Amino acid sequence: VIVKHPEAATADAQVTVIQSLISQGVDSISIAGNDANALQAALEEAMDAGIKVTCLDSAVNPDSRQVFVNQAGITEVGQSLMDAVLDISGGEGQWAILSATSQATNQNAWIDSMKEIMKDDKYSKLELVEVAYGDDEPQKSTDQTQALLSKYPDLKVICAPTTVGVNSAAKVLQDEKSSVKLTGLGLPSDMAEYIGDGADKSCPYMFLWNPIDLGSACAYTAMALVNGDITGAVGDKFSAGDMGDYEVVKAADGGTEVILGPPFKFDPSNIDEWKDVY
């Protein structure tokens, strides 16, 4: 395994790394794309040279890859978050969403999934009062959280599917000793001080993904491509050792993907372990 980090978080810097790997004649390249489209020429050159290309965490476009290893499918994220809102609220009452920007593709997909899941009778006693946008800015996310508390005195839960938003909301709720509870998608290192079961903690639990498992799943996917067990086509199946079996499915962008699984839950039982990981 050769691990290469570009000198800057830009597509141009990644292109330089890709070209270096092509010249080395590696068997496969797994990349977290800094840009969905700008790497296409370099990755097509790699595939033309017989190198198998996968991406993980952040997808490159379908023409630039053979398969994407997705850390969490849209439906899986929506289901986990809705069930958390249902659980934390006690099954009824008002709740709100604190999102990033109104144009964020992943945020909108997760929120649409949550709204669809909410149509089930199981969630009929929950009332979504507002989707607020903090634009992934700490101050604006803080202001939006305070506005939600002011506008909805009966609010029970805020769900923030954004790492910046959930961290800002957690601080507001905990500092103000609010009875409103929080869940969402957050970094363990950011959220450790807010996660707990007590009244003094604002977030009983939240989710993101297990980056170690994501890396392992991508490694198994790359090996399956190199060994010829899969081509990256819909319906391809392969074994990922102790992680179990995976199937290649159609991705929302028209390409194909392997979905790692449901989001990973961070709670009082594991947050101390994970806060030092990422």
Side-chain angles (χ1 to χ4, degrees), residues 31-62:
I31 188 165
N34 283 332
D35 186 290
N37 301 309
L39 305 174
Q40 183 169 332
L43 291 174
E44 282 183 335
E45 183 184 342
M47 289 186 284
D48 288 343
I51 296 170
K52 308 302 182 185
V53 174
T54 60
C55 53
L56 71 162
D57 186 62
S58 178
V60 293
N61 71 30

Side-chain angles (χ1 to χ4, degrees), residues 249-271:
V249 298
K250 189 171 179 60
D253 63 5
T256 61
E257 66 183 11
V258 170
I259 298 175
L260 177 63
F264 191 79
K265 183 179 181 181
F266 298 99
D267 61 23
S269 73
N270 63 13
I271 191 65

Side-chain angles (χ1 to χ4, degrees), residues 96-114:
I97 293 172
L98 175 63
S99 184
T101 70
S102 58
Q103 294 83 32
T105 308
N106 57 353
Q107 297 282 308
N108 289 337
W110 293 329
I111 291 167
D112 287 345
S113 175
M114 293 174 76

Side-chain angles (χ1 to χ4, degrees), residues 5 8 48 60 74 121 124 132 140 163 189 211 238-239 254 275-276:
H5 302 284
D48 288 343
V60 293
I74 291 166
D121 284 348
S124 62
K140 187 168 183 184
T163 56
S189 54
F238 64 98
S239 172
K275 69 182 181 184
D276 297 326

